[in-house]
Each structure stands twice: as structure tokens, then as C-alpha cells.
Amino acid sequence: MSCSLQSCSWRANLLLCLGLFLHCGEAKVHTEVQAGPLYRVVGTPLSISCNVSGFINPNAKQEFEFRVKKPANPTFEINIISTSDKDFGYAVYLDRVRTKEITLTHVSPTAVVFEIQRLQKNDEGEFDCSVKNSENVYLGTYSAQTVVKVIDNSLSVSSPASTSLSYDEGDALTLTCQASSNTVQHTHLSVAWYLRKDGEGDPRPIISLDRDFTLSPGPGFEGRYQAGLVRLDKIGDATYRLKMDKLEVSDQGQIYCQAQEWIQDPDRSWYAITQADAAETTLIVRAREVLPDTSSVAVRISAQPATLQEGQELSLSCNIDTEKLEERFFSVAWRKGGVELARIGPTGILSLGPEYSVRGKEGELRAARVGSKDYRLVLQPVRTEDHGEYVCRAWPQDRGQDGAFTQGAAQDSSSQLVSISAAESGLSLEMQNSVTVKERDKLVLTCKVHGVNGQLSVTWQHKATSAAIFTNVISLSQEGVMETAGEFSRRRVRATRPATDTFTLELDEVTPSDAGVYQCAVSEWKTNSKTNSRSQTATVTVEPVESYVKVNLISRNSIVTVGDDVALMCRVKGPHVPITLTWSLQRDATNLDNILTLNYDGAVSWSAGVEQSYQLKVENMPSEVRHHLLIHGASQREAGSYQCSASVFIEDAYKRLPASNQLAVKVNKPVSKLDLSSAPALTSNIDTDIEINCSVISKTTASSHYAVTWLLQQQAEKQIFIRSDRNALLTFGPQVELSHRQRISMKRTKGPSFELSIRQAQISDGGSYTCEVVEWLQDPHGDWYELSPVSRTTNVTVLEPENNLSIEKKELELNRSLSQDFTIPCHITSRSSNDSEFQVTWFWQKVAETKQLPIFIAYRDATLHDSSGMGDRLRFRHPMPNQFSLTVSKSGPEDSGLYFCEVEEWIPSLSHGWRRVAVEKSGNLTVYVNAEGDARAVTEPACNSGIYIAILVAFALCALVVIVVLLLKMCRSNGAKKTEKSLWTEQVALNSKPGAED
């Protein structure tokens, strides 16, 4: 049986060790959610991923829950959705969960995706993803949080093109798109042009410019992009231009521009927060009739006339000759000094060189195919700059099965010199060389004409840089007809002739893209024929809005106390322009949060949960607009660096101005008026109760709450003894043992006063007790904040009770005859406590020896113990609480020696049980036992000899009588039956063992 028990015990210990080993090897549960803050646009989808790892069974399906804390009440959690409980959400979200607008979907057993299809403004907050524990132990983190900021959609996309455009095959198409955003956070835009063909569901991307400014052609447009026939250019801050040369019939459909706004999340990934499409433009491409293919060509050029004056007509003929000319196709171009004037393609489409496009639009340049082998170009009127050598160049074009042309080797004609001399004319122009105008102001240019002999027409032209070519802005014919060029048809532009010799150009609301060189081209006409032309240029500089519209943020009281009001003023200096102003607050080094946005049309958009804290006021002044932001009852929520940023809405696009300076608003806590009162020192005896009182004698507000911490310092370091938070929740310090916590309590009384109680004090309870009180106040939002702690220290000393034990210490001598009894007294004259109990031990020491031997012990629980082996010869008496005696009967010479008693005083203690508090010895009793039978009385050294003799005689007589009586008694009892012994301790010595406690 013993072996079996030992085997079971060994196996149990092995299993326990194995279990501990497996437990130590368990993975730690870790819950991870997508890092925030996540900035998302109202009305767009929200997606948050959440996963957990570290469970013992990694393949077990885990259940997840999502909650949110709103900025208006950051301490209150609102249930949204759970994977295990369809009714988990609160009423504010339950309907959206049931309609699948909010979903929580498992993508794996340990990962979910939380989605909101359409974000609302009040969805902003701190989202919490928590996983239910599916195991028996808790080890790790079971929830993770991320912050979602819901911002307004400020992306603006527009296209000024007509709703329908019609082109011939081979023509060039140019479309522009305005895309901009007023988001305060750092974002990037991507722009793409799409073609939606009839009968196709999804649009086809033509070309796109991504957020990193990388151009990418769409499928099917790669070859044309590489050939330079499809381009996307960014012009200025917000204009994106699509150019498609040599349109094909397959390009017919609806073309539109799409912009996306991207933001970089904290995990460094980019996320498209919103997108917008411009209005679609219907493009119609008419097919051209294609002639049969050709191969080689001979090219000749002729001029009629070759010498002429300025203003006359020049005709340049190009003749080509080859075999089977009717079955072949050509492209023919006229060139001068390496610059192409015009080109006629294989299908007969005319295209003009960039430098001659304006003259072509004004009718000064015409080109056409006039026969099967003849092509003609006409310039009228010619200018002196038209003087030079001209060349005609031809390319054979081979047509493939798909109808596309492949261009062959070029063949040039010989050069033809054309000489042009200046005509006699007094026409001259005068313009201001340079003009500076502010953005959004009106540009007015004046062109003075001198030496007029006929009717005049004027064409105003513009080019952005000196290397660019002039494009028409507006023209005024000799009949007074005004014609606006395509790019300026949507602008407010006018060409007037306020006087006979004066032409003016007026362009309202100029933008930086309007800067550059403007040309006033004046032509003189006679009988519907242009005779002379003169031009003059002026350089126009447009000062951008940011150079004269300044934003400045000031405040008179940026350092305040909790509950005070703060007034911030954002001054927008400059002319009155349509401004969109955004107030933002940066609470830390990374996050910039919007407070509100005041749009140029007067609409105000507030961020979630802040409208109750702020008030907006706008004040219009002659030279500036003052935007006031008032903070009512400032708290730590409103502390941080404020900034106002402005954007000008120009040409259907936002243009950001430099943001204002940052202004730090510091919200200080009020000065604490808390004062405490506590006794500096306290002394108590062991096993008594200690009460330390810490009273508040002055406080900051009547509604203050208090958190109290009692600290104990017994060595160099203070340690937490017990604490109570502002809600009176008690916790003990980690060093306070569980067995001692039942003796410790703390309570609050009126005043308030905080009382620390330690029951049944021990010596180890002594030390310096510090009462540290933290005062908590509520800010205007109801959030609690703490003031600086105030403390008072009480030094506590725990003493042992005073030792008042005293025993009679008389020195006595005693002579006894053989077989006589003698008594060893032990009288206690004073004690330390009324509850004291005593343990008495009698000792014996032989004469002339030093060794002291215990002979008898009377324990405090009335247990007696004979240590000498005398047995029946010892009698113990305890007639009174403070009197003890031990009698030795039938003494013999061997009993002679020195006797004394030793008393141990014991006091009860509830914490330690009985404690020995004192030990005292009595005086010595010297006993002589004579073998002759005589005896001597107890003498004191001070007695005189007469008294000693008298006592000795009396004692001898008494001893003689006793001996006689004893002899008679012994004689009578011989042969008689022995009687039973008495149980009284005076007659029978007790020989009991001590108790286990002693």
C-alpha cells in the first residue's frame, strides 16, 4: 500500500510539471487591427481589417465584435456588430446592420473585415475590435483600437468641353479637365481619361496620370502613346489636357475625365478616399474615303510668282509623278527652313504646322489637292518673314488589311526661292511693353495704331512662354464682328475699338495661366483684300493670389485655464475673392484634425462632435475678412496648435493659399487650493488599533472628487500601501500580503476626511505613512482631470507593552533535619497586564557547584512537569494568582543546595497568539538538610545571637515531638493494609508533560 501511494504521488508530480511546461510554451494571444488614424470621406465606404493570433488551436474559428467611442463621449462604448450575435448592436446601428449597410465578414477563421458602405459624419470615432476568448485561460491582448476621421468631400472635377464634338478621321482632338481638392490633410490626385463605346459596359481607359505623376496608356492605346499621338499634360495647378492626334473611327464614343483623391494611411499604404467624374463629351468621328495604295513618287515644286511684295498672294504648287498614280496614296507637305507649313494626308485631310495654324484660321493660308498629281498652297497676304526657300516633301503610304496606313520613305523636291519685299505703308503699332495684373482682376491691354490708310482688323493672340507659338484669343474684323477663340469661349473676354486708332483687349478674372506674351496683330484691308499687317507684343505678369492674399492667425488669450473662453481671429488680407476657409487643430506631432470648413458659398461643415465647443463669426472689412473662432469653456480637448488655411475657388478648381501661422492654445489646470491636515507622529502599543486621519481643510471647488493613496516608507523607498480612486474603489499595494489585508481598511468621512485603520498593530507596521491626495475636477465637457497631488506624512511607532513583572527577591537560608519538608516560595509582586499568565520553573543548584538544574515546571495552561524525578516528594501549590510554591517532602542530605524560581510572563495577542513579554528570577533559598536529625530555623543574617538560640531550642523540642509521633505512627501501621493516596496536589506530586503550545 505504501509503495502504491508513492507511485501515485510521483505520477501526479510528473503530470503537474508537464502541465506547467506546456503552459509556459503557450503562444500569447495578440489582436491586431488596421493602424489609424484613417481619414475617410463622408458617403464613401470604410473597411477595417482585424485579425488575431496566438490561440492554442490556430485553425479554430474565432468570434469578433466591433464597438466605437464617439468624440462627444469618449468614455462610452457603443456596440456595432458581432459575428456571433445578430442583436449585438445598439439601436443607433442595428438598422444599418440589418440592411447590410454595416457588415463584419470572416476572411479566415482568425481574421475579419469590418465594412460600412456609406460613411456618415457621426461615424467618426475610435473603433474597437475585440475577440471572444475561446479558451480556459487569458494570456495576451484580446482587443485593438483604431481611430477613424470622417472628412468632407472637397474633390471638384469639371470639363469645359461641349457635350458633343464632331471630327473627321485623322483630325486632332484636345480636351481639358479641371481637378482639385481642398482637403487639409496631405493628399495626391490621380487623373484618367476614359472612352465609353456604344454597346460596351465598362469604359476603356485612354491614358492616366497616377498619384506619383506616372503616365500610363490604356489597353489598345499603347502604340499611339509611344508614337506621340496620345498625350496627357498637366497645365498649371489643376488643368489636365488630353491630346489625341489622328483620330480614328474607333475613337468614337463618350469621353470623360475621372479624378481620384489618395491619402497615405499610417501603414504607408495609399488609399483612394474619393473619386469624381466630369460630364461626358460625345465624340463623333466621320470616316474618310480611302484611295488605292501607291509606292514611289517624283516631287517638283513651283512658285507663282517667285518675286512679290508684302501683301500680295503667293501660290506654291507641288507636283508628284509615279507609275499607277491613281492606285497609290501620298502625304504631301510644304516646308520652309525645316518648319512645316501644311500637310495633306493620304485621305485628303489638311493639317497645319503649329506656327501657321493661326494664319490658317484667319484665312491667310490655304492648301488643297487640285488634281490627281497636283497640290497647291496659297499664302495671302504674304509677309516679309515669308521670304525664303520652300521645299515640297511627299511620302508614299501603304494601306494594310485593317485600313491603317504605313508611311514610306520621304522624297523632297528641289528648293524654290521666294523673294518678298516690303510694301510702302505707314502702318505702325504701339503697346505698353509689360503689364502686371493681380489674379482674379481684369486685364486691359491697349494697342495704338498709326498711319492708317484703309479698314483695320485686329487679332489678339497669346502664348505662355517665348518658345511657344501664339494662339488666338479674340478677333475683331474690319466689319466690327467679334469672334472668340475656342479656349476662351467660356471666359469673359472682349475686343473693342473705343477710338479710330485704338484697340483694347479686356479679360476678366485672370489666372496665372493667362500670364505670358500677348500680341496685337492689326491688318489693313482694301476691297476685301488684306494689304498690310503689323504686330506688337506686350508681356503680362499675373501675380498669384498667394502673393497678395495673406492669412494670419492671432489671439489675445492663448494661455487660459480650464473653463475659460478663447477667441481666435484668422485675418484674410487682400481683395475679396471666393475663399473656402478651414480651421484645423493639431493635438500631437502627427495628426491634424479639421474643426470646420466655411465654403465660399457660405455653407459650414463641422467635424463630428465639435460643434458644441466652438462658435464661428465672420466680419467683412474693406481690406480684409476676419474669421473669428470662439471656444466656449476650453478644456484639454481644445488644447493644441490651431491653424486656418484658405483656398480660392477659381475656374472650377480649388487653389490653396499658404496656410496661416500655427497658434498654440494652452489650457492650464486651475491652481490647486487643496490643503490637508494630519498628525505628524503617532505612537501605539502592539496589538492595539491604529487610526491615521488625513483631513481636507481647503479645496479648490465644492464638487471636487478625490483619489487617495497611502504610501508606507520603512526603508529608503516609498511603496503603495492602499489607495482609493476618485470613485472610492480600493486597491492594495503589491507588497501588502494577503494575510495582512484583513487588518487594513480605509474610509471617508464628512469633511472630507480619509481615515486609515490598522487593526492589531504589529511591530512591522511602524514607519512613515504618507497621505497623498489628488483632487479631480470636471471640465465643461464632463471629462475628469486631476490637479497636482498634495501629501502629508505621519510617523507611526509601534511599541512593545512595558515590562512591569516583579518577583520577591529575598535571600533566605533554611536548615532542615533528615526527612523534614521545606517549601520554596515564588511570589509575584507586580505584573505587566491583567491578562497575563505565568510559567514558573524552579531550579536547584548543589552547594559548591555552578550547574543549575530545573526540578519542576508549572506551565501557564496548568500543566505540571517534574524534571527532577522526585515524584511524590514534590507538592505544587497556587493558592492565589500571584503566589506559587513548591514543597519538597522527606528531604535528605542530597536535597541540600540553592533553590530559586524563574517566572515567564505571557500576554495574549490576536495576531501572534500568546507572547512571552518578560522573564524574572526570585531570590535564592539556601537549604541545609542535616543527617543527625537536628534542625536550624531559617535565619536572617541580621538576627542577634539570643534570638537565634531561643529559636534553635524551640525547634529542637518540636522536632523531638514530631519524631516521637512518627515512631508511634509507624508502629501502628506495621502489617496494616495501605490506604489509597489522595489526589490533592498538596499530597501527590503531578508529573505531566507540557502542552504542544509551550
Side-chain angles (χ1 to χ4, degrees), residues 606 620 635 671 715 883:
W606 293 89
N620 288 312
S635 68
V671 177
Q715 296 176 354
Q883 291 185 3

Side-chain angles (χ1 to χ4, degrees), residues 836-856:
S836 299
E837 291 190 5
F838 305 98
Q839 175 178 310
V840 183
T841 304
W842 280 268
F843 290 87
W844 170 61
Q845 179 181 336
K846 286 185 178 182
V847 180
E849 292 186 7
T850 59
K851 186 176 181 181
Q852 298 175 346
L853 300 175
I855 59 173
F856 191 82

